[in-house]
């Protein structure tokens, strides 16, 4: 067997301790250099899965064909009034468009002249007719404003209204809401708190709500991939531009940044947030556990140095073999420390328990040799089995865990090498005291005996637990939505929440690429009939339907409205005196008809406010004028433009819109929006399933999320099966008995099933971040179980009283401390990873310290 060779090798390293330390110092330096020059991190969750997957190829192809939709930084503008939002968006887009250092383009999708000109044409005939009739009713009022787009013209229109009331020829029932809005603005202005009035809401009514509550500025930032936050400079530039905008400064508008670039940058920032403090705190606690485990700094220091050196070497390997870490493989450091510390503690605890026959330095060599013979082969088997468990994930399509499996798998071999070479050398140099039989827990002997007496009861209980866990396995759900692992309080996610309930702006859409526009139209008709579909967009969606009927309505209204709205030479801007005179005249006119007005009529408030305005100072009067008509010219211009709509065809759709739906080779895109809220994974799966039944070649965000979940689950099923087989083969070669192999694997499976129970009961949702608990469960579980089973084979009578139990307990504490630091992360994905790792570790420890001692068969020595 390997007992003697490992012992002799360890002694050889100890006799050449300084040479070994120097060698590892050089290797560590190389690892540091490789890590600093070649190792990067990406937060792009789209790279978590293999590009060989069929659905992933479709997704990547969409990104290649429509690059203008990829890597966007989006400003979402929320304002008190539509005009303030539009003005904020216009100013921001203008500022960003001129910055060619940080942005490739910036545009406002809702401000396209084509869409503005044909705004009325996209209404259905009945609401269009109602809008036009209301506008015709307001024709005298609008005509007066067109002649004089100022408060003077507005007051003059109100005087005409008063004349109509006087002659009983005015029906104001349809004007109550606009008049109330006007009254509010006028009263605020008179009180010295002038705020602009929304003509879009006053004149448009419910029509203004169709545009939505938000404005957007879509930008393509120039990314700096040499930075951990590639879009950071562009985002900072946009924030500076935002802070200078009028309505942002006065609090009337808020601007949120979102989009793929912002979310990815926030992802890394959230993952990194508190990482240094957490790491330092974790190291402090790990040092405490190590001190309690081995009781002297002369052993703690060699263990810590060995861990650091092993981690640096593994990092160097990651830099060479992988190059760029993802949000899962970046956790290799936690896994390495969590498992490698177990090897070091096992070796050190047993080393201190040795009783050498020779004094001085030779006694240290003898103790190291005995420790190597006693535990070296156990650590080797544990390292090989753990490495196999990790490497089983390498061939899978889940590249996130495949990377982690490769790095951690090799890392386990590095940990074994460091434990049997560097650690003995450092122990020899530090020369800790030996002959410490108290390394075991003698007080646990009664517990060992009690477990043996209750063996059948305990095995029955754990069998029942295993059956419950097995029954709950089908109820496990995997949430593949990357948005659910992000910090919900980040700016990008808050902005996304504003949009997520609107099918038009929801990120959960599906896409289909077809051969031609004719095919796109057919698919649109077919997909629109599905119950889970809200609407389907294609290039033809930007061409109004029923144009002949709508144009007839618009042209009839235009023949009445345009002659009075198109004024070659409007009146010049009024002076403060002009405004006061107009306010006085209108106040007098309204005062003459107050007896004909209901008690709550807004004209009463208007008359009172105008009377006060007629006596106000110049500054107040001019501020009132600005507040009342600031946005009037824009609204009148928009009305004139829409009334001049003409017939359009698909060829008239401008390139900035058409390029999002039509490729140069004639292929066309069809975009499907779901009905209802898709933040629930069950609803999303139902939506995607309904689409795939009709068209299997679907792509898009919704499909990516659902298919990635399926691919990840499949990858874990394959890897878990392969890992169990590989571990079983290694155990069979090492232990050479099927029964002993089963004694190691049974508690491993039990701990997995106990973890399933906790996941379902708590509940803890599985996602692509926390699912790495499975390979860790295999790694830690195999290590712990191997020690106990091999001790049993070597004749250890009381497993819980042995130094091995002490080493396992403190290994679990150090590993749990590392995972605890993850659980406290501000990043939901990382925090869920830490929580699930702690759960799986607790289940593993319970299985090792209770189930294994009960499971081990009785031997003749146990009867003594």
């Amino acid at each position: 067997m390997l007992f003697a060779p490992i012992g002799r090798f360890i002694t050889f390293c100890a006799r050449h301790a300084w040479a070994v330390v120097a060698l590892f110092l050089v290797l560590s330096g190389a690892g540091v250099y490789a890590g600093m020059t070649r190792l990067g991190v990406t937060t792009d969750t789209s790279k978590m899965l293999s590009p060989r997957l069929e659905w992933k190829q479709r997704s990547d192809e969409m990104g290649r064909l429509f690059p203008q939709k990829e890597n966007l930084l989006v400003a979402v503008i929320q304002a008190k009034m539509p005009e303030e939002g539009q003005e904020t968006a216009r100013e921001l887009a203008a500022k960003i468009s001129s910055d060619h250092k940080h942005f490739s383009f910036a545009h406002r999708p809702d401000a396209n002249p084509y869409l503005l000109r044909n705004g009325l044409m996209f209404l259905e005939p009945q609401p269009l007719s109602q809008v036009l009739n209301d506008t015709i009713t307001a024709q005298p009022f609008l005509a007066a404003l067109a002649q004089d787009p100022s408060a003077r013209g507005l007051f003059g229109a109100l005087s005409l209204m008063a004349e109509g009331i006087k002659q009983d020829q005015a029906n104001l029932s349809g004007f109550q809401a606009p008049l109330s809005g006007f009254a509010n603005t006028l009263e605020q202005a008179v009180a010295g708190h002038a705020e602009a009035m929304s003509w879009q809401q006053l004149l448009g009514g419910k029509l203004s709500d169709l545009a939505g509550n938000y404005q957007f500025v879509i930008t393509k930032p120039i990314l700096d991939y040499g930075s951990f936050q590639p879009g950071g400079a562009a985002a900072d530039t946009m924030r500076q531009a935002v802070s200078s905008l009028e309505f942002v400064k006065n609090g009337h508008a808020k601007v949120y940044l979102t989009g793929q670039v912002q979310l990815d940058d926030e992802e890394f920032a959230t993952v990194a947030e508190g990482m240094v403090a957490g790491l330092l705190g974790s190291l402090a606690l790990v040092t405490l556990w190590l001190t309690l485990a081995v009781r002297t700094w002369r052993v703690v220091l060699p263990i810590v140095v060995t861990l650091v050196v092993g981690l640096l070497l593994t990092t160097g390997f990651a830099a060479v073999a992988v190059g760029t870490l993802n949000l899962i493989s970046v956790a290799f450091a936690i896994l390495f420390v969590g498992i490698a510390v177990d090897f070091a503690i096992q070796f050190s605890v047993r080393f201190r328990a040795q009783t050498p026959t020779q004094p001085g330095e030779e006694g240290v060599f003898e103790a190291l040799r005995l420790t190597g013979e006693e535990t070296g082969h156990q650590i080797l088997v544990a390292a090989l089995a753990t490495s196999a468990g990790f490497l089983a994930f390498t061939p899978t399509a889940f590249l996130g865990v495949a990377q982690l499996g490769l790095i951690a798998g090799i890392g386990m071999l590095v940990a074994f090498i460091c434990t049997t070479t560097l650690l003995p050398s450092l122990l020899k140099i530090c020369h800790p005291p030996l002959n410490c039989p108290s390394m075991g827990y003698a007080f646990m002997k009664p517990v060992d005996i009690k477990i043996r007496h209750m063996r059948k009861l305990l095995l029955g209980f754990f069998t029942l637990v295993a059956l419950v866990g097995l029954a709950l396995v089908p109820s496990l759900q995997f949430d593949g939505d990357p948005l659910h692992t992000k910090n919900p309080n980040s700016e990008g996610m808050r902005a996304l929440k504003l949009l997520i309930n609107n099918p038009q702006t929801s990120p959960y859409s599906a896409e289909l690429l077809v051969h031609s526009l004719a095919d796109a139209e057919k698919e649109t008709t077919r997909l629109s009939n599905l119950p889970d579909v809200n609407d389907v967009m294609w290039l033809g969606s930007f061409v109004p339907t029923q144009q002949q009927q709508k144009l007839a309505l618009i042209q009839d209204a235009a023949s009445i409205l345009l002659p009075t709205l198109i004024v070659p030479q409007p009146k010049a801007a009024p002076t403060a005196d002009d405004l006061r005179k107009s306010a006085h005249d209108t106040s007098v006119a309204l005062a003459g008809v107050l007896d004909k007005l209901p008690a709550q009529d807004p004209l009463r408030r208007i008359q009172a406010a105008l009377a006060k305005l007629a006596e106000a100072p110049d500054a107040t009067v001019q501020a009132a004028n600005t507040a009342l008509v600031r946005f009037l010219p824009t609204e009148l211009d928009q009305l004139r433009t829409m009334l001049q709509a003409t017939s359009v065809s698909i060829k008239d759709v401008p390139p900035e819109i058409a390029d999002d739906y039509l490729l140069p080779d004639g292929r066309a895109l069809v975009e499907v929006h779901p009905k209802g809220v898709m933040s629930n994974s069950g609803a999303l799966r139902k939506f995607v399933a309904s689409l795939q039944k009709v068209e299997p070649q679907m792509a898009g965000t919704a499909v990516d999320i659902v298919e990635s979940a399926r691919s990840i689950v499949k990858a874990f099923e394959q890897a878990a099966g392969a890992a169990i087989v590989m571990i079983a083969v290694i155990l069979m070669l090492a232990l050479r008995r099927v029964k002993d192999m089963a004694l190691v694997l049974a508690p491993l499976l039990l701990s997995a099933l106990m973890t399933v129970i906790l996941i379902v009961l708590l509940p803890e949702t599985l996602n692509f971040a926390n699912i790495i608990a499975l390979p860790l469960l295999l790694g830690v579980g195999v290590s712990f179980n191997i020690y106990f089973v091999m001790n049993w084979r070597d004749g250890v009578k009381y497993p819980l009283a042995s130094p091995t139990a002490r080493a396992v307990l403190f290994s679990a504490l150090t590993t749990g401390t590392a995972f605890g630091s993850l659980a406290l992360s501000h990043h939901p994905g990382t925090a869920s990873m830490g929580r699930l790792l702690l759960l799986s570790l607790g289940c593993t420890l319970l299985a090792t310290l209770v189930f294994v001692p009960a499971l081990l068969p009785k031997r003749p020595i146990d009867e003594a």
Side-chain angles (χ1 to χ4, degrees), residues 850-864:
V850 181
F851 179 64
V852 172
L855 184 65
L856 294 174
K858 286 186 178 182
R859 302 156 296 179
I861 60 172
D862 295 322
E863 303 296 337

Side-chain angles (χ1 to χ4, degrees), residues 278-288 304 337 817:
L279 183 59
L280 292 176
S282 177
L283 286 175
L285 278 175
V286 166
T287 303
L288 172 64
V304 172
V337 173
T817 298

Side-chain angles (χ1 to χ4, degrees), residues 321-336:
V322 174
T324 302
L325 301 174
N326 56 56
L327 286 173
I328 292 180
S329 58
V330 75
F332 82 88
I334 295 292
L335 293 186
F336 179 88

Side-chain angles (χ1 to χ4, degrees), residues 700-734:
T701 306
V703 177
D704 289 350
I705 292 171
V706 172
E707 290 294 348
S708 64
R710 290 174 184 164
S711 299
I712 290 171
V713 171
K714 183 178 180 181
F716 268 85
E717 289 173 350
Q718 294 171 343
I724 295 296
V725 171
M726 293 169 66
I727 292 172
V729 170
I730 291 172
L731 293 176
M732 193 64 195
L733 292 174

Side-chain angles (χ1 to χ4, degrees), residues 46 66 103 198 229 456 594 603 631 789:
S46 68
F66 299 96
F103 299 92
S198 174
Q229 294 178 282
K456 291 183 179 179
L594 289 181
L603 282 175
F631 298 120
V789 172

